[in-house]
Amino acid sequence: MTAGRLSLVLSALALIVTHCNVAMAQKAYDTGASDAEIKIGNIMPYSGPASAYGTIGRTEAAYFKMINAQGGINGRKISFISYDDGYSPAKTVEQARKLVESDGVLLIFNSLGTATNAAIRKYMNEKQVPQLFVASGASKWNDPKDYPWTMGWQPSYQDEARVYAKYIMKQKPDAKVAVLYQNDDFGKDYLKGLKDAFGDKASMIIAEEAYETSEPTIDSRIVKLKAAGADTLISITTPKFAAQAIKKAAEIAWTPLHILSNVSASLGGVMQPAGFENSQGIVSASYLKDGADPQWDKDGGMQKFTAFLKTSYPDGNKLDGATEFGYAAAQTMVKVLQMCGDDLTRANIMKQAASLKEFVPDTLLPGISINTSATDFAPIKQLQLMRFKGERWELFGDIISANLSN
């Protein structure tokens, strides 16, 4: 080989090595990520008073399994580690520490509950581990300045409460309102939003009943609220207690304007168990398509969702809103991981999660999209009112943006 040719070969080899080094340098990992794997942690109430929400975790597990079967995220397979906390904040703390310190997850995703997530928020931020797309509508998850490692996902309870208060003041200005609420961060955050929204008309609320999640039944509380003379009931409840409230109201022949918080508007998880005949006329709000509504049968997104259930999660209930919720949240998580490319550091995950623009998971209502920024950790800010009729929810009115409903 001539000296000139040898020089060319060596130059070519040098370029290849440089290119490889640059490519390798572009890959960045924190604990829980590698060339082959992305470890995602999750905490769900698979047992206890909020066990109906366990469907969310099971749906997400099935979705990630489907993604893995399709080749994973940029060639990496998702390892989804989901633990039960029984809806107990103390147990949530225990499981979060296990996920971060023993399992070595990259992040904790879509864990459920207001009080439960509040119990680990400081820990997650001190550890600088993403607490991403929290499955709770508490307004506190949108605080990027003080808690830059925590981000919500669904519309905030206070925004939802504002929608209901405006609806009542317009449709029933002389209403006598009774409020049934869960005596924890979830219920109190929602109640505050409700009272703030009523403003100087907060005196419309004539009765309040707070229940503990440890109570076997809230029947006596419904009896008290009726006895107070209320003609409007706002039910700030999780599924078990929402169904009880609907059934008890029917049993004592109380027919108030019944407004039900979105977290318990599941057809299969609440309305069906409570009895369709007892659920007529109940008003709620949503940001997700109703799997029981035939208007979505030819919708492209819902067809993908139905195909997912058929091939990847045959045990999933299309009528359970928690199934759609888990599917859309998992889709959002996958989108963020795809955006991260080969930079799977925790800082970049939060950066990409805060860079979502007009992202629309398959099960979101038309006109609603996910948008975030470095100063806005509230991905979904729109809702549409709906009324229960027959065996399904019927949407009415326009899409309402939280930014326009002040």
Side-chain angles (χ1 to χ4, degrees), residues 153-156 159-160 163 262 284-290 296 299 301 324 328 331-332 356-372 378-386 395-402:
W153 188 75
Q154 68 205 69
S156 83
D159 286 341
E160 186 183 346
V163 168
N262 166 267
S284 188
S286 188
Y287 52 97
L288 295 169
K289 299 163 188 169
D290 180 1
W296 307 121
D299 176 80
E324 291 183 63
Q331 221 173 19
T332 310
L356 291 164
K357 302 299 177 194
E358 300 296 326
F359 177 62
V360 184
D362 294 331
T363 54
L364 255 60
L365 285 172
I368 297 179
S369 61
I370 289 177
N371 295 275
T372 57
I380 304 175
K381 309 175 191 66
Q382 299 151 301
L383 290 156
Q384 186 170 9
L385 286 166
M386 60 185 184
L395 297 166
F396 67 93
D398 298 323
I399 295 290
I400 302 169
S401 170

Side-chain angles (χ1 to χ4, degrees), residues 62-63 65-66 69-70 303-316 327:
Y63 189 86
K65 187 176 180 181
M66 177 189 74
Q70 294 171 355
Q303 287 178 340
K304 290 178 185 177
F305 172 63
T306 301
F308 156 75
L309 291 178
K310 183 177 180 181
T311 60
S312 302
Y313 189 31
D315 292 336
Y327 176 91

Side-chain angles (χ1 to χ4, degrees), residues 343-366:
D343 183 355
L344 286 167
T345 57
R346 289 162 172 163
N348 191 44
I349 284 170
M350 291 307 302
K351 178 183 178 181
Q352 299 307 323
S355 304
L356 291 164
K357 302 299 177 194
E358 300 296 326
F359 177 62
V360 184
D362 294 331
T363 54
L364 255 60
L365 285 172

